[in-house]
Amino acid sequence: MEVVQAYTNDPRVLAAIMQGNPEGAVHMIIVAKVTELLRENGGTLPATYLIEVLKEDFDLPDDVKLDGEKLFRFLYALDPSFELVQPPPGLGDDSGVTISLCETNP
């Protein structure tokens, strides 16, 4: 899988691999991928876009139930550098939710 190979040098992924934690390594690959996408795009992207990229890159089935808030909670649990930006009041779904990267040292 190309995505996995692309992130094996990320220190967070290496740490999980060295600890013998393959599930943790996959989680950190997802964090590394989202971090890279956010850095390349000004630090903020719509959650719906991130979800589509992850579904494609990790060959997730279309029926996987993932929304912006779930993705944010997953990312934030692994790295508190992520921030959820809620849509303007009045929107009934998470279509306007964005995820931002709040790094002090980019």
Side-chain angles (χ1 to χ4, degrees):
M1 189 184 242
E2 285 181 33
V3 175
V4 172
Q5 292 174 347
Y7 295 101
T8 53
N9 289 328
D10 184 285
R12 298 168 292 194
V13 175
L14 285 173
I17 292 170
M18 296 301 288
Q19 293 172 355
N21 183 357
E23 184 177 317
V26 171
H27 291 171
M28 295 316 292
I29 288 169
I30 293 169
V31 169
K33 175 68 177 178
V34 171
T35 299
E36 178 183 69
L37 286 169
L38 290 172
R39 284 182 180 153
E40 290 174 349
N41 292 283
T44 301
L45 283 170
T48 52
Y49 172 76
L50 293 170
I51 291 166
E52 289 305 313
V53 170
L54 293 173
K55 282 184 174 184
E56 183 177 309
D57 284 356
F58 291 95
D59 299 322
L60 299 175
D62 289 333
D63 63 346
V64 168
K65 302 292 185 209
L66 185 60
D67 62 34
E69 289 191 27
K70 286 180 186 174
L71 176 59
F72 167 73
R73 286 193 303 267
F74 171 82
L75 295 168
Y76 188 81
L78 297 167
D79 184 342
S81 299
F82 295 98
E83 178 179 58
L84 182 70
V85 180
Q86 293 290 343
L91 290 179
D93 60 18
D94 73 340
S95 61
V97 169
T98 59
I99 295 178
S100 297
L101 190 60
C102 304
E103 296 179 301
T104 54
N105 299 312

